[in-house]
């Protein structure tokens, strides 16, 4: 995750009591992070052209399971940012400023390198005029950077006010600028094309799902995760009280999100304010559910496969993206899917089977790292 140091390290043995305390506080977060990474890899790697509806993004307005993957990851970025900065007492210093800048630049460069690789495999080695500048990792980098700056510069009440202002402002922009149509006259499209140019954006539909202006609500999204991290790490309450508070606030956000969806429809592509509230609410409530089972009840056995993804999330996500590009470019994906399709006549089942096999292959790499206590951090 962004809120970690850039290195490859082996964990040292810690006192048993300390390890148990850390596990009780953070295990559910690692599991949710891992579950999100696994789901990301699955939905990004369909074997064929047909997929089950819940593994596809909504065409426009609406919410599917697939639409929940990235917002949950961004929500966790906010929590992780709180934990990371909390270790430094939320005080500006030259070292912390350099770490924030370094992580931001590294995430941006990794994201752009993945887009570059997509051109390289097509023998386009210098795609400077058409390289996509937006995307999942660039959005994470921007939101992590701005969340960190705000967290180190503002108080608790200020952050909550910023969240509200960002969502209200962005909602007004969408309503005033034809933001709920997937056409070129959408203000988001016009803004992105004016600043970056059409060639540097997502090209399959007019609206870029990680465009520049929608970073306003994505930042609010990450700040909500940051506030959840503050509640999660509070020392003044036991874990039961903390989880109850998060659940109640999550339920409240869900009700507000559904209420404003009448005017501002839930839409992942434009990252609408209702989408922010509903997806953050569901992520928070999922975290509470996992914490209740794993942390409070101590039933962790069934969650450890996701913990494998959770301790090396960024590395395994990048590995999956690179592997997917190389498999497609080499023709290996077509051959593997053809073999699966021959045994499974249902194209949707065949496509999902390929996705599951792919995520299992990435998990196997993660498991080796997990067993050897190797954590590749950024």
């Amino acid at each position: 995750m962004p809120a970690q140091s850039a290195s490859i390290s082996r964990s040292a043995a810690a006192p048993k009591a300390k390890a148990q305390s850390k596990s009780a506080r953070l295990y559910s977060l690692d599991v949710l992070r891992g579950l999100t990474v696994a789901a990301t890899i699955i939905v990004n790697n369909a074997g064929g052209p047909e997929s089950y509806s819940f593994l596809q993004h909504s065409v426009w307005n609406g919410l599917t399971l697939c639409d929940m993957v990235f917002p949950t990851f961004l929500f966790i970025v906010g929590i992780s940012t709180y934990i990371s900065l909390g270790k430094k007492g939320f005080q500006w210093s030259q070292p912390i400023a350099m770490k924030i800048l370094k992580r931001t630049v590294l995430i941006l460069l990794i994201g752009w390198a993945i887009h570059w690789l997509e051109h390289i495999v097509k023998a386009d080695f210098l795609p400077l005029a058409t390289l996509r500048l937006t995307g999942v990792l660039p959005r994470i980098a921007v939101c992590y950077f701005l969340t960190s700056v705000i967290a180190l510069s503002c108080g608790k009440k200020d952050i909550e006010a910023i969240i509200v202002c960002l969502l209200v402002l962005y909602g007004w922009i969408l309503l005033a600028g034809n933001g709920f149509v997937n056409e070129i006259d959408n203000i988001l499209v016009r803004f992105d094309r004016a600043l970056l140019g059409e060639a540097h954006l997502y090209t399959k539909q007019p609206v870029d799902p990680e465009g520049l202006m929608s970073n306003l609500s994505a930042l609010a999204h990450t700040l909500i995760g940051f506030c959840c991290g503050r509640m999660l790490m509070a020392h003044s309450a036991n874990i039961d009280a903390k989880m109850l508070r998060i659940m109640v606030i999550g339920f409240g956000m869900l009700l507000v999100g559904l209420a404003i969806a009448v005017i501002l429809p839930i839409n992942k592509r434009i990252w609408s304010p209702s989408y922010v509230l509903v997806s953050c609410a569901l992520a928070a409530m999922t975290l509470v559910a996992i914490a209740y089972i794993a942390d409070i009840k101590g039933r962790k056995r069934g969650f450890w496969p996701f913990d494998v993804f959770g301790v090396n999330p960024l590395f395994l996500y990048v590995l999956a993206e690179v592997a997917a590009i190389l498999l497609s470019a080499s023709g290996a994906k077509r051959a593997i899917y053809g073999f699966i399709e021959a045994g499974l006549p249902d194209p949707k089942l065949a496509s999902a089977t390929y996705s599951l096999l792919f995520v299992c292959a990435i998990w196997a790499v993660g498991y080796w790292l997990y067993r050897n206590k190797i954590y590749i951090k950024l």
Side-chain angles (χ1 to χ4, degrees):
M1 296 295 292
Q4 296 174 332
S5 60
S7 63
I8 300 179
S9 62
R10 290 181 180 269
S11 64
K16 184 175 181 181
K18 184 178 180 180
Q20 287 175 339
S21 174
K22 181 179 179 181
S23 175
R25 190 173 60 187
L26 299 177
Y27 185 77
S28 54
L29 181 61
D30 283 338
V31 169
L32 181 61
R33 183 189 293 118
L35 179 61
T36 305
V37 172
T40 301
I41 295 172
I42 289 173
V43 302
N44 284 353
N45 292 278
E50 296 187 51
S51 298
Y52 294 112
S53 59
F54 63 88
L55 294 178
Q56 301 180 55
H57 290 296
S58 299
V59 176
W60 190 239
N61 293 336
L63 188 68
T64 68
L65 180 63
C66 182
D67 293 328
M68 279 298 303
V69 175
F70 188 21
T72 302
F73 199 94
L74 203 58
F75 177 80
I76 297 170
V77 168
I79 297 177
S80 300
T81 302
Y82 179 89
I83 295 172
S84 177
L85 296 179
K87 296 175 182 177
K88 305 298 181 181
F90 298 102
Q91 297 294 321
W92 275 113
S93 66
Q94 184 176 358
I96 192 64
M98 291 305 299
K99 284 183 178 181
I100 291 170
L101 182 61
K102 178 181 178 181
R103 290 167 186 163
T104 300
V105 172
L106 283 174
I107 297 168
L108 276 173
L109 291 177
I110 292 171
W112 291 337
I114 292 173
H115 294 325
W116 200 308
L117 181 60
E118 294 173 341
H119 289 270
I120 291 176
V121 296
K122 299 175 184 177
D124 181 11
F125 298 101
L126 290 173
L128 299 182
T130 57
L131 183 69
R132 186 185 177 197
L133 299 179
T134 58
V136 171
L137 290 180
R139 168 153 291 180
I140 290 174
V142 169
C143 291
Y144 163 70
F145 176 79
L146 293 176
T147 296
S148 298
V149 171
I150 291 171
L152 293 173
S153 306
C154 303
K156 173 183 175 182
K157 297 293 184 181
D158 296 327
I159 293 176
E160 294 171 355
I162 289 171
I163 292 171
V164 174
C165 289
L166 285 171
L167 294 179
V168 171
L169 172 63
Y170 186 62
W172 177 83
I173 290 173
L174 292 176
L175 291 174
N178 209 22
F180 285 96
V181 297
N182 193 16
E183 305 292 344
I184 59 173
D185 64 340
N186 185 315
I187 189 172
L188 306 183
V189 178
R190 289 187 278 121
F191 185 82
D192 287 342
R193 292 186 179 186
L195 265 67
L196 296 180
E198 184 178 358
H200 292 296
L201 299 166
Y202 182 84
T203 58
K204 294 180 182 179
Q205 294 190 38
V207 178
D208 189 318
E210 287 86 36
L212 296 177
M213 190 175 289
S214 56
N215 279 327
L216 289 172
S217 59
L219 172 58
H221 192 118
T222 313
L223 288 171
I224 291 174
F226 180 89
C227 292
C228 181
R230 184 173 59 214
M231 289 183 282
L232 183 67
M233 303 301 293
H235 296 293
S236 58
N238 60 38
I239 189 170
D240 302 67
K242 289 188 288 188
M243 291 305 161
L244 178 60
R245 185 183 180 196
I246 293 172
M247 177 65 79
V248 170
I249 292 175
F251 187 69
M253 285 195 297
L254 179 62
L255 292 180
V256 174
L258 293 175
I260 67 171
V262 176
I263 302 173
L264 304 168
I266 297 172
N267 188 304
K268 189 264 182 189
R269 186 169 294 276
I270 63 175
W271 218 276
S272 65
S274 57
Y275 174 71
V276 170
L277 294 174
V278 170
S279 58
C280 280
L282 294 175
M285 295 163 80
T286 302
L287 175 62
V288 170
I290 295 172
Y292 178 78
I293 298 171
D295 293 330
I296 297 175
K297 294 297 184 181
R299 299 171 183 169
K300 300 180 180 180
R301 181 175 299 179
F303 291 110
W304 74 268
F306 300 111
D307 195 26
V308 169
F309 279 112
V311 295
N312 280 302
L314 186 60
F315 172 76
L316 294 177
Y317 169 79
V318 172
L319 175 64
E321 291 291 293
V322 171
I325 293 170
L326 297 179
L327 285 172
S328 294
S330 65
K333 176 181 177 179
R334 191 180 307 111
I336 295 170
Y337 178 68
F339 178 78
I340 295 172
E341 192 177 30
L344 297 173
D346 183 344
K348 293 181 179 180
L349 180 58
S351 180
T353 299
Y354 176 88
S355 300
L356 290 173
L357 289 175
F358 186 86
V359 78
C360 286
I362 301 300
W363 182 87
V365 176
Y367 180 66
W368 182 84
L369 297 172
Y370 183 83
R371 282 290 301 270
N372 288 279
K373 303 186 185 307
I374 300 174
Y375 308 122
I376 304 176
K377 303 176 182 179
L378 181 66

